[in-house]
Amino acid sequence: LCLLVINSYSQTDPKAQEILKGVSAKYKSYKSLTASFKLNLLDKKTNKAQNQTGTVTLKGNMYHLTMADQEVMSDGKVMWTFLKESNEVQISEVEEKSDGLSPTTIFTMYEKGFKTKYKGDKTENGNMMQQIELFPEDNKKNYIKILININKKDKYVNSATVYDKNGNIYAYSITKFTPNAVVTDDMFTFNKAKYPGVEIVDLR
C-alpha cells in the first residue's frame, strides 16, 4: 500500500494509511451492517441543492438499498433495481467496475485506487472525526477528490464528500450506524410476490 512518487502532494500519507487500515479491519469484523444516510447534491451550474435520504444494509458482497424513488438489491451476482413510480424492476448483472461513490461502497471505497492525505481531526456533533482526502490514481475518473470523515472512536466512515470535474459536490453522511444487524439472505434478492403487478425488465 506504500506508494513512492516524485512529489509529496501525491504521496500516500502513512498516517492516513494507518487510520484506513484500522477502519478496514473493523469493517471486515462485522458480519453485516445497516446504516441510514443523507445525500446532498449541489449542482454548480444551477446552484441548486437536492436532498435525499435512505437506508442501506450490507452483508459481504450483498446489499439492499432503499431510497424514496427506488430500491436496489443484489446477492453479489445479480442486481434488481425497483423503480417505485413505474412499478418496474430492472434485472442486470453486477458490474465489477464502479466509477463513483454510493451508499453501498462508502465504507470500503478507499481500499484501492487512491492516494491519501491526512487532514487532521475535528469535532462533529460531539464526535471526534479524522479527516482524510482521497485522490484517484486514475485521472480518467470523473471526480477530482473525495473527503472522508472517519468516526475516531468507532472506526467507520461517517461522511464522504465527492468533488467532481464539473464542479458538482455530492455529500453523503451517515445518520445511524448499526453493526452486526440481524439480517436474512432473502433481503438481498427480489421477491416478485411482495410487489403486486410489477413489470419485470431483464437486461442481462
Side-chain angles (χ1 to χ4, degrees):
L1 289 172
C2 184
L3 302 174
L4 209 56
V5 290
I6 295 173
N7 65 67
S8 59
Y9 172 74
S10 55
Q11 183 178 355
T12 293
D13 187 331
K15 173 70 172 175
Q17 287 297 300
E18 179 188 351
I19 294 168
L20 293 174
K21 281 181 182 178
V23 173
S24 185
K26 188 79 171 181
Y27 176 81
K28 289 173 182 176
S29 74
Y30 301 143
K31 293 180 180 179
S32 62
L33 70 84
T34 297
S36 301
F37 64 88
K38 290 181 180 179
L39 167 60
N40 301 309
L41 165 61
L42 177 61
D43 187 328
K44 283 291 186 179
K45 291 180 181 177
T46 62
N47 207 32
K48 290 183 179 179
Q50 298 178 31
N51 301 302
Q52 297 184 57
T53 60
T55 60
V56 62
T57 299
L58 304 170
K59 182 180 178 182
N61 63 347
M62 302 186 293
Y63 61 86
H64 187 131
L65 170 67
T66 302
M67 299 181 72
D69 58 347
Q70 65 179 345
E71 279 185 76
V72 185
M73 292 152 266
S74 175
D75 61 1
K77 297 177 182 178
V78 178
M79 181 172 72
W80 296 266
T81 302
F82 173 64
L83 306 173
K84 296 180 181 180
E85 187 175 348
S86 58
N87 198 27
E88 173 185 296
V89 63
Q90 298 176 354
I91 308 173
S92 58
E93 293 182 355
V94 172
E95 294 183 10
E96 293 292 326
K97 187 178 179 182
S98 177
D99 190 41
L101 176 67
S102 76
T104 61
T105 61
I106 187 174
F107 300 107
T108 55
M109 49 80 198
Y110 55 81
E111 292 185 331
K112 58 184 178 180
F114 291 99
K115 303 179 183 78
T116 58
K117 183 178 181 182
Y118 174 60
K119 292 287 290 180
D121 294 359
K122 75 166 191 171
T123 302
E124 190 175 275
N125 297 325
N127 297 310
M128 185 61 72
M129 300 292 167
Q130 297 172 301
Q131 290 193 305
I132 294 175
E133 284 183 326
L134 307 174
F135 302 94
E137 293 175 342
D138 182 359
N139 59 17
K140 293 179 182 177
K141 295 290 186 182
N142 60 10
Y143 50 87
I144 301 166
K145 72 173 181 177
I146 300 174
L147 175 65
I148 61 175
N149 287 323
I150 293 167
N151 185 298
K152 190 172 184 178
K153 177 186 174 185
D154 296 323
K155 293 187 177 180
Y156 69 88
V157 178
N158 185 78
S159 63
T161 305
V162 184
Y163 300 83
D164 77 13
K165 290 179 178 177
N166 295 320
N168 300 320
I169 301 172
Y170 302 81
Y172 293 88
S173 59
I174 303 302
T175 56
K176 185 178 180 181
F177 182 81
T178 308
N180 295 318
V182 178
V183 297
T184 54
D185 287 356
D186 60 358
M187 272 193 72
F188 308 106
T189 56
F190 184 79
N191 184 348
K192 184 181 177 182
K194 294 181 180 179
Y195 302 83
V198 66
E199 181 183 353
I200 297 175
V201 180
D202 197 329
L203 302 174
R204 291 172 292 182

